[in-house]
Amino acid sequence: MGLTSETTVYVMAVVAAVCVALLVWLWPRLARQSVGQVLGRLAAVGVTQVTIIAAFACWLNSSYQFFGSWGELFGSVDTAPVGVTQAGGTNDGGGMTGVSVKGALIQPAGDEQLSRVSGLPTGPAAVNGRVESVKVIGRRTGVVDPAFVYLPPQYFQKAYHRQRFPVIVALSGYPGSIFNLAQYLRVSQTAGQLQKSGQMQPTIMVMIRPTIAPPRDTECVNVPGGPQTETFLAKDLPDALKASYRVGHDASAWGVMGYSSGGSCALQLTMRNPHVYTTAGALSPDYKVKDDPTTGNLFGSGLGRVNRINGHDLMWRLKHLPVPQVSVLVADSKHGEKGYPQTLAFIKAVKAPMRVASILPENGSHNFPTWVREMPATLKWMNQQLTFPQDVVPRHVHKPGRTSVNASGPEPSETPTRRR
C-alpha cells in the first residue's frame, strides 16, 4: 500500500476503530488496582491514541501530499543514475509523454497523484494544452525531483512549432508537494484560464517542490557538505528544461513564484541569481533564512558562516550589496498573517534598479484560500514582466512528424515581436 493511497487511509481508520472498540470492551477487565491492570490500562489507552493519531496523519498526508512515499517519510530518496550529463537530443515540441531518452535530464514519471487533480486540460493538446508528470535529474547535484509541467495549447500548434516560450517555475511550501501546487494552488488551471482569456501570454508552468532532501527543509540553500538546493533550482532545473522543452534561453523569459517558504525561495533565487530568474512572485514569504528544527544547520560553521547567513538575509542584501535588476511581487495580508510588517519593511527597502509590486489584502490567513485569491493577479503581473523569447528553434533540428498540428496559423517570424 502506498503512503498516499486511499487504501492506507481506510486501513488505518479501521485499525483505529478496532482499537477504540477493544478499549471499551477490555476496560472493565482492567478495572482492578493491581500493577498489571494499571499497566494494561495505560497500554490500551496509549495504543488507541497512537492509532487514532496515525489514522489522522495518513488522511492529512493523503490530502496534502506532505510525503509522497514511505521512503520519503523515513528519509530515503531517489538519486540520479551515474553518468548523466545532458539530454540526448533536442526536443521537437511534442512534450515528454511517451518519450524516454537514455541520459535525458527530464524523464517521464509516474502519476505522482496527477490523476487526482481536478480541472486539468483534457482533449487535444493543441486546443487545451497538457500537463505532464516528469522527473527532473540534476546533472550537478545528483538530485531527482518530481515535477508537473503545463504546456499551453500554442506549444502544440503548427504556427508555433519553432517558437520558444517563457517559463514560470512554481515552488511549493514546506512540507509541500507538487500535488499541492496543482490541486490546491491551481497553478496550471489558473494559468490556462488567463491565457485562454488573453490576460496572459502563452507560458510554460513548471510545478516543483524545493524540498530536495525530504524530510529536511533546506530552504533553497546550498548547505555546506549537504543538499545543494540553490544549485539544483538555479542551474540544474533551467538546464534540464532548456534541453527538453522549447523554452526561452534568456533570463528575461524566466520567472519563479511560490507560497510560504516557496515564496521565500522565489525571492532568494531571483535576488541571488538575476542571470537566471528576472521576475519573482512571493505569496506570504519570509525575508531571512534561519535555522530551525526542520532545517538543521544550513550554514555550516567556521569563518564563512556569518557571510552565508547574511547572504540569505534579503534585507541585509538590499542594504549592503548592489541591487539586482529584477522585478519582484510580494503578497501579505494586513490582518491574519504575521509577516505583514516585514513585508512593508521589504517594500520600503527596495531601490532602483530593482522593482517591487505588492498585493496587500486587508484580511487573509496563511493558507491556500488566501493564496488562490492572489494567484490570478500574481500570474498576470509576472507575465507582464517576462519577455516572449526572441529566439526560435533552428529549422534544421525541427522534426514535424512528432508535433501536433491540430491548429493552423501563420509561420512565426525569426524574431518575434517583443512583448511591450
Side-chain angles (χ1 to χ4, degrees), residues 216-284:
R216 186 178 185 181
D217 178 14
T218 52
E219 291 284 335
C220 292
V221 172
N222 279 346
V223 180
Q228 303 294 289
T229 313
E230 183 175 15
T231 295
F232 176 74
L233 293 171
K235 294 182 179 180
D236 284 347
L237 176 62
D239 285 355
L241 292 170
K242 290 173 184 177
S244 302
Y245 292 101
R246 299 198 319 273
V247 298
H249 285 200
D250 190 84
S252 63
W254 285 72
V256 57
M257 65 161 295
Y259 64 89
S260 190
S261 62
S264 307
C265 283
L267 291 177
Q268 294 275 345
L269 289 170
T270 302
M271 292 181 64
R272 290 173 55 87
N273 303 274
H275 58 289
V276 179
Y277 300 104
T278 56
T279 303
L283 311 181
S284 307

Side-chain angles (χ1 to χ4, degrees), residues 219-221 230 264 267-269 271-272 286-290 299 305-322 324 342 345-346 349:
E219 291 284 335
C220 292
V221 172
E230 183 175 15
S264 307
L267 291 177
Q268 294 275 345
L269 289 170
M271 292 181 64
R272 290 173 55 87
D286 291 321
Y287 303 94
K288 181 178 181 179
V289 177
K290 301 177 181 178
F299 303 106
R305 175 176 170 81
V306 173
N307 289 335
R308 288 189 287 269
I309 292 174
N310 288 337
H312 287 277
D313 182 340
L314 300 185
M315 298 297 289
W316 185 92
R317 294 185 68 90
L318 288 172
K319 184 177 181 180
H320 295 94
L321 298 179
Q342 289 74 32
F346 176 80

Side-chain angles (χ1 to χ4, degrees), residues 372-391:
V372 167
R373 284 168 34 217
E374 296 166 347
M375 271 291 290
T378 300
L379 288 179
K380 286 191 290 185
W381 178 88
M382 291 185 68
N383 200 243
Q384 291 169 0
Q385 315 309 310
L386 299 178
T387 300
F388 203 88
Q390 301 291 303
D391 52 337

Side-chain angles (χ1 to χ4, degrees), residues 93-253:
M96 295 301 299
T97 299
V99 179
S100 181
V101 180
K102 183 178 181 180
L105 299 179
I106 290 186
Q107 296 279 345
D111 182 72
E112 294 290 345
Q113 306 298 317
L114 186 61
S115 60
R116 295 180 54 194
V117 178
S118 61
L120 295 180
T122 58
V127 177
N128 301 314
R130 185 167 74 199
V131 177
E132 300 181 341
S133 176
V134 302
K135 56 182 178 181
V136 180
I137 301 171
R139 179 169 60 86
R140 297 171 182 82
T141 60
V143 168
V144 178
D145 212 20
F148 294 150
V149 179
Y150 165 76
L151 302 170
Q154 291 83 353
Y155 191 87
F156 304 94
Q157 295 173 5
K158 185 177 180 180
Y160 293 83
H161 72 270
R162 294 177 52 239
Q163 181 62 58
R164 301 188 189 276
F165 291 82
V167 181
I168 294 178
V169 175
L171 302 174
S172 63
Y174 176 86
S177 69
I178 54 177
F179 178 80
N180 290 355
L181 291 165
Q183 176 65 12
Y184 298 111
L185 196 60
R186 316 294 288 175
V187 170
S188 58
Q189 298 89 325
T190 304
Q193 292 170 359
L194 291 174
Q195 293 177 35
K196 188 174 183 180
S197 64
Q199 301 179 70
M200 183 177 175
Q201 63 187 334
T203 302
I204 293 175
M205 306 295 299
V206 180
M207 292 159 271
I208 197 165
R209 60 182 187 181
T211 309
I212 65 171
R216 186 178 185 181
D217 178 14
T218 52
E219 291 284 335
C220 292
V221 172
N222 279 346
V223 180
Q228 303 294 289
T229 313
E230 183 175 15
T231 295
F232 176 74
L233 293 171
K235 294 182 179 180
D236 284 347
L237 176 62
D239 285 355
L241 292 170
K242 290 173 184 177
S244 302
Y245 292 101
R246 299 198 319 273
V247 298
H249 285 200
D250 190 84
S252 63

Side-chain angles (χ1 to χ4, degrees), residues 63 89 180 224 280 329 371-372 418:
S63 299
N180 290 355
L329 178 145
W371 301 323
V372 167
R418 188 178 182 89

Side-chain angles (χ1 to χ4, degrees), residues 5-15:
S5 70
E6 292 184 356
T7 301
T8 300
V9 176
Y10 292 144
V11 168
M12 292 305 301
V14 170
V15 171

